[in-house]
Amino acid sequence: MSWTAILLAGQRPGGDPLAEAFGETWKALVRIGGEAMLSRVARTLLATPGIDRIVVLAQQPEALFTGDCAWLAQEARIATARSSSGIAASVAALAGGVQAPWPVLVTTADHPLLTPAMIEAAMAGLGDADVGIGMVGARTLLGAYPDNRRTWLRFRGEAWTGANLFALGTPKAAPALNAWSAVERDRKKAIKLIWHFGPLLAIRALTRTITLERALGKASARLGFRAVPIALPFAEAGIDVDKPSDHALAEAILAGRER
């Protein structure tokens, strides 16, 4: 199957603390392991079987194609698109169109620990669903990195954190993107995020009487599509780089991989 990857490389208005900490204008250009995060993620995507093209989505994508990332402008499999007022609306404008036909994988430039194995697992995990959401369980992540701090969604049997990997398989994913737009501002606030499941499902989630798979299935069915969580067995899939402590950890992990 031929997939398109939408690579989110923009940032919120007003500047980004991580970019400022490393003297960059754009977070995606912060270097880690000797290479800008955007360049590292793009190389990983292109090295993954099944990913045939990438669309870099950002407020000023051309401004990112400098230094380590200059090669992206010369790569025939990479295109650009300008983001609008929100991530979900910007993805919705691309997904299923000429630049990004179905199926679509969405990931972020601040995910430098991404590997082809993680991406392949996310694509395979979609199955026949309309939407797949990459997740990492607390036992998996904290078993490897017990001091790492994440936003945890606690359901029956396990707590979960996002992996910044979203598989969109069919046009029925459109309602999911509309729902994503509604929860975008709360994505780092676990309780508020869970409340978007609806009052009854939120109460069941907060009391941990329902699994993530069951809750996501019920919530998506109400909106006319089928969404599934994709449990990834890679601790590093749950670690994106938002702050200097994440950067230090990712540097150490990458150095270990090279050794």
Side-chain angles (χ1 to χ4, degrees):
M1 188 177 293
S2 174
W3 287 72
T4 301
I6 297 178
L7 178 49
L8 307 180
Q11 62 194 36
R12 293 181 179 276
D16 181 87
L18 185 74
E20 292 170 5
F22 287 90
E24 292 286 354
T25 302
W26 303 99
K27 179 182 180 183
L29 296 184
V30 171
R31 302 185 92 222
I32 190 162
E35 184 177 10
M37 293 196 291
L38 172 59
S39 176
R40 185 177 289 276
V41 175
R43 288 186 193 279
T44 300
L45 287 165
L46 291 177
T48 304
I51 299 289
D52 286 354
R53 65 194 69 83
I54 299 172
V55 180
V56 176
L57 180 62
Q59 290 96 337
Q60 299 177 42
E62 297 82 6
L64 301 174
F65 292 179
T66 184
D68 293 342
C69 298
W71 69 271
L72 279 79
Q74 308 303 319
E75 172 55 61
R77 292 173 292 172
I78 295 179
T80 63
R82 289 185 176 270
S83 57
S84 57
S85 57
I87 297 172
S90 301
V91 172
L94 281 173
V98 174
Q99 275 192 302
W102 308 109
V104 170
L105 180 89
V106 181
T107 192
T108 60
D110 64 355
H111 202 346
L113 299 179
L114 201 62
T115 65
M118 295 174 192
I119 297 167
E120 288 185 284
M123 295 189 298
L126 176 64
D128 61 356
D130 303 303
V131 176
I133 303 173
M135 307 290 286
V136 179
R139 285 191 286 266
T140 296
L141 199 157
L142 297 179
Y145 306 102
D147 297 327
N148 193 252
R149 299 186 66 183
R150 295 287 117 191
T151 299
W152 295 106
L153 303 177
R154 301 182 185 280
F155 288 85
R156 181 179 178 182
E158 180 63 292
W160 300 90
T161 192
N164 283 1
L165 284 167
F166 305 89
L168 311 177
T170 74
K172 287 187 177 181
L177 292 170
N178 292 335
W180 181 7
S181 182
V183 307
E184 206 171 308
R185 66 183 179 275
D186 295 327
R187 74 190 194 284
K188 296 292 185 180
K189 302 170 185 174
I191 292 177
K192 286 188 176 181
L193 186 60
I194 286 174
W195 199 255
H196 287 282
F197 280 97
L200 294 178
L201 285 178
I203 290 170
R204 290 199 64 188
L206 293 171
T207 56
R208 302 185 197 176
T209 56
I210 192 170
T211 63
L212 172 61
E213 183 176 15
R214 184 79 168 152
L216 194 56
K218 283 180 170 290
S220 61
R222 185 185 303 148
L223 296 174
F225 64 97
R226 180 171 171 243
V228 294
I230 302 171
L232 299 171
F234 312 95
E236 294 82 3
I239 301 174
D240 55 5
V241 178
D242 284 328
K243 50 189 182 295
S245 59
D246 295 331
H247 187 278
L249 176 60
E251 285 264 10
I253 293 170
L254 289 172
R257 286 180 182 174
E258 291 175 4
R259 287 196 298 269

